[in-house]
């Protein structure tokens, strides 16, 4: 995704004491809500394996993106690139990133414009809307249905081309988290903090992560491998849109393992399977293997989790389904890591 670059001064600017306090309050709230919880299942118990999940649902807006955007905004303010008085934040989303940006914009006094496919679940659209600032420019622009990330990016680029000189008297601050190294670093810091708080745990042998724009998966992989260089990183994608699998292993390998790729690429593992869009922060070398998952597999797991009182969203259920799948053939004592990205109420 291309964007107009944020301006950057050559030196850091000190933030006011009040501004520092605002950022520190949000960091404290995030830190207080960092949770690593044990997840059980018959497959894990039967194989003698264990699993712990980063419960990102506990974070503000029930989204793992809050620490990512906090890091981006704070760093950009430090170098004098943006401020609430001069800039409007702009970002694209399939739901979770947009809610996080909207919430932070309200907290930090920014105006904001968010682009989102119009055929996302109503609950996700409403989730972004309810967190938007109450004053000033606070727009949620819905992009054409059935074109997912690719269509959203096209509309986003058209908007930027029309407003190169700004919008409503302010400059546009294109956050573009999928193209920023700060995004990967923020996730790496979060996972490192979780590991430090739970240093009595045995190291994680295998991590199961959803493959979207690569910032979360890459940050998790880096943090876990600092703690245990042998940790295997297994990606999860929708069978309908195995975009990262094709980039890493090729279409011929997919055909051999799973058969022909569907042409429409429509799926419900939101935040992953962004067919046709390449993300520069996706370090494919960090991923050991990728498991494309059929819809009925993760839906079955999701229903089971609901019965156990764990109402996680589609992508989280897919990751936990793969944990069960791998546990059945893993050595007893294998310790799995995964993420509960969001709740089922966002679907």
């Amino acid at each position: 995704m291309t964007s107009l670059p944020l301006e950057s001064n050559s030196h850091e600017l000190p933030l006011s004491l009040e501004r520092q306090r605002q950022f520190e309050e949000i960091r404290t709230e995030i830190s207080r809500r960092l949770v690593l919880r044990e997840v059980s299942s018959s497959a894990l118990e039967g194989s003698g394996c264990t699993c712990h999940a980063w419960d990102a649902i506990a974070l503000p807006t029930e989204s793992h993106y809050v620490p990512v955007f906090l890091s981006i905004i704070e760093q950009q303010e430090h170098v004098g690139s943006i401020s609430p008085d001069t800039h409007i934040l702009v970002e694209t989303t399939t739901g979770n990133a947009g809610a996080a940006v909207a919430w932070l914009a309200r907290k930090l006094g920014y105006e904001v414009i968010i682009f989102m496919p119009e055929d996302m679940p109503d609950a996700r659209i409403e989730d972004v809307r309810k967190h938007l600032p109450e004053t000033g420019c606070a727009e949620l622009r819905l992009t054409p249905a059935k074109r997912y990330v690719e269509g959203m990016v096209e509309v986003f680029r058209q908007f930027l081309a029309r407003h190169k000189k700004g919008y409503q008297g302010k400059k546009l601050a294109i956050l573009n988290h999928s193209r920023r190294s700060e995004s990967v670093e923020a996730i790496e810091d979060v996972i490192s903090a979780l590991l430090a708080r739970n240093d009595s745990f045995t190291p994680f042998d295998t991590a199961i992560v959803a493959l979207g724009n690569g910032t979360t998966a890459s940050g998790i992989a880096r943090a876990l491998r600092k703690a245990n260089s042998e940790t295997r990183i297994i990606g999860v994608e929708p069978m309908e849109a195995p975009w990262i699998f094709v980039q890493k292993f090729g279409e011929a390998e997919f055909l051999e393992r799973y058969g022909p790729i569907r042409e429409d690429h429509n799926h419900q593992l939101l935040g992953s399977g962004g067919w046709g869009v390449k993300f520069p922060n996706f370090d494919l070398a960090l991923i050991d293997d990728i498991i494309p998952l059929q819809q009925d597999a993760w839906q079955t797991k999701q229903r089971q989790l609901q019965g156990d009182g764990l109402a996680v969203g589609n992508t989280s259920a897919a990751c936990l389904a793969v944990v069960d799948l791998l546990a059945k053939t893993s050595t007893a004592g294998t310790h799995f890591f995964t993420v509960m990205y969001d709740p089922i109420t966002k679907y």
Side-chain angles (χ1 to χ4, degrees), residues 145-221:
K146 298 183 180 179
R147 297 198 60 207
Y148 195 44
V149 174
E150 195 171 16
M152 176 178 64
V153 170
E154 183 179 317
V155 173
F156 175 65
R157 287 173 172 167
Q158 291 169 353
F159 174 83
L160 296 182
R162 289 195 305 270
H163 299 286
K164 291 181 179 179
K165 295 183 179 180
Y167 184 76
Q168 295 188 3
K170 290 187 176 182
K171 298 176 183 179
L172 297 176
I174 295 87
L175 299 178
N176 218 348
H177 68 285
S178 66
R179 287 186 169 267
R180 292 185 176 276
S181 60
E182 301 102 297
S183 302
V184 179
E185 292 162 4
I187 294 295
E188 183 177 350
D189 288 345
V190 166
I191 301 304
S192 294
L194 278 172
L195 296 179
R197 291 183 184 184
N198 298 277
D199 58 0
S200 62
F201 287 4
T202 58
F204 289 101
D205 301 293
T206 303
I208 312 300
V209 292
L211 301 183
N213 61 43
T215 56
T216 304
S218 297
I220 289 171

Side-chain angles (χ1 to χ4, degrees), residues 59-91:
L59 291 175
T61 76
E62 300 175 314
S63 167
H64 64 289
Y65 277 119
V66 170
V68 169
F69 286 108
L70 180 67
S71 176
I72 293 172
I73 293 169
E74 186 171 16
Q75 288 186 46
Q76 291 301 315
E77 285 196 19
H78 264 298
V79 298
S81 294
I82 63 174
S83 80
D85 294 332
T86 58
H87 286 79
I88 297 173
L89 305 181
V90 186
E91 187 55 287

